[in-house]
Amino acid sequence: MRISLVLLSLVLAGVAGSVLWRRFSSPASQPRPLDPAFIRLTPSELSTLPLATRFDMPMGSEHGALTYNARAFRISRHLGDDLNGIGGGNSDLGDPVYAAGAGRVVYAGNPGPGWGKMIIVAHRLLEGDELGPVVQTMYAHLDSMQVQTGQKVRRGEVIGTVGTAEGAYLAHLHFEVRLGPYVNPGQGYADTPLNRVAAEQFVRAHRGAGADVLSPDSEKD
Ligand SMILES: [Zn+2]
């Protein structure tokens, strides 16, 4: 019994050691690698997240004009909305992608084939919001990224540009809204919605302004 306990602790120590080694051995200059384990935002990270009082669409105009949703949430198990420029094809390649709301970048990297460059921004919602206290907006297949992990962003700030996930698709923005404090690049399709909600619908419900109202820069949070 005692020997098996000793063996068990040796195995556990080995596992913990290799996890730590992998975590800290990657060079700091590399983009954050895909960690299959969930990262949970700590209570202090959560309490210092910028408050998002309003949301706008991340492409086209503030209410998404000049774009269309080519594959909406839950169509063919899709976990996001695929936003395209109205010109179709690759006409939107390089168009700006805006932070949908005030928040902090919690992931900016390339998690693997099929995703291309991806940014995840975490937002604190107004008290009493039924989807709160924390949501994340996720922007994928980007051609370029203009922000880094840890950076604060304002609503409407350019965070990257529309891309093709390195030639995997015609240019479009895969846009998701996720609930809760667990950060993980994850997958774009699943049998169940996981922690995702319909992104376009979420923004419409959280615009805090009429559908015809654009937001002047001075009012951006
Ligand atoms: Zn998609």
Side-chain angles (χ1 to χ4, degrees):
M1 183 64 190
R2 187 163 295 172
I3 288 171
S4 62
L5 272 179
V6 168
L7 276 177
L8 181 65
S9 17
L10 280 175
V11 168
L12 285 176
V15 169
S18 73
V19 166
L20 284 174
W21 183 84
R22 263 181 284 152
R23 191 154 246 227
F24 293 111
S25 61
S26 46
S29 59
Q30 293 288 309
R32 203 159 158 185
L34 170 61
D35 188 341
F38 285 101
I39 301 160
R40 191 190 200 285
L41 296 173
T42 65
S44 78
E45 284 170 327
L46 291 174
S47 64
T48 57
L49 279 181
L51 180 68
T53 56
R54 290 182 48 178
F55 285 83
D56 287 326
M57 288 302 286
M59 201 182 147
S61 77
E62 285 92 330
H63 51 76
L66 308 178
T67 66
Y68 66 98
N69 194 343
R71 176 168 291 177
F73 185 65
R74 299 317 293 148
I75 303 283
S76 309
R77 306 167 62 244
H78 198 218
L79 290 174
D81 285 322
D82 281 349
L83 305 180
N84 278 250
I86 48 171
N90 273 333
S91 62
D92 48 0
L93 178 62
D95 280 1
V97 172
Y98 310 103
R104 188 184 296 280
V105 178
V106 291
Y107 180 89
N110 189 334
W115 273 131
K117 298 184 182 78
M118 177 195 287
I119 294 171
I120 303 176
V121 179
H123 316 265
R124 196 157 48 88
L125 293 183
L126 287 167
E127 217 169 292
D129 192 297
E130 56 172 9
L131 299 180
V134 180
V135 294
Q136 301 166 45
T137 50
M138 185 275 247
Y139 314 78
H141 313 331
L142 300 173
D143 195 49
S144 69
M145 299 193 289
Q146 263 125 72
V147 291
Q148 294 181 329
T149 305
Q151 193 177 322
K152 269 190 190 179
V153 292
R154 299 172 70 200
R155 175 170 52 94
E157 187 173 331
V158 176
I159 55 174
T161 53
V162 175
T164 61
E166 275 130 36
Y169 320 103
L170 288 173
H172 70 275
L173 175 67
H174 176 99
F175 176 52
E176 289 184 15
V177 174
R178 303 171 170 187
L179 308 181
Y182 293 95
V183 180
N184 186 354
Q187 65 218 65
Y189 296 86
D191 289 335
T192 62
L194 309 179
N195 64 339
R196 278 68 154 179
V197 295
E200 218 181 337
Q201 243 164 278
F202 171 90
V203 169
R204 266 203 298 274
H206 290 81
R207 267 214 80 211
D212 56 336
V213 178
L214 300 183
S215 327
D217 274 347
S218 60
E219 279 180 17
K220 291 197 160 145
D221 54 26

